[in-house]
Amino acid sequence: MSSLALAAPALAQSYLVWTGLGPSSQWTSAANWQGAVAPANDGTVSVQFGVSNRTVVTVDSAQDILGLKFDYPVTNDLRYRFNGSATTLTLGSGALVTTNAAPAGSPP
């Protein structure tokens, strides 16, 4: 009798998106995240930063995330700044990803 073990297909990584719509720039403010849910601080969540009016992010307590993605149109000169007092942002195996997508209808 033989057996065959199949690996589960790799799932696309999903991201919790920073909106910056909260009353402050604090990482832990749920209002700054899509769905009004701040990322879990346990290394299981990947976060994404894109076009936002609030590009200064205060990491107000040590955070442990799976991955970090910056995703915004190539036409935006967008820069994020992370600050905090004696805090750490730990990045897991989900990697650091940057993408610059051309807006729809742009020439290649």
Side-chain angles (χ1 to χ4, degrees), residues 29-98:
S29 173
N32 283 322
W33 297 94
Q34 190 173 36
V37 176
N41 187 12
D42 61 4
T44 63
V45 177
S46 293
V47 297
Q48 176 178 320
F49 293 85
V51 176
S52 173
N53 290 332
R54 181 164 293 160
T55 58
V56 174
V57 181
T58 302
V59 182
D60 49 329
S61 65
Q63 297 293 313
D64 185 6
I65 59 173
L66 178 63
L68 177 62
K69 180 178 184 179
F70 295 97
D71 184 19
Y72 48 89
V74 73
T75 55
N76 287 30
D77 183 22
L78 189 62
R79 297 163 197 237
Y80 272 90
R81 184 177 77 203
F82 295 84
N83 63 27
S85 176
T87 58
T88 303
L89 180 60
T90 302
L91 180 61
S93 63
L96 172 63
V97 178
T98 60

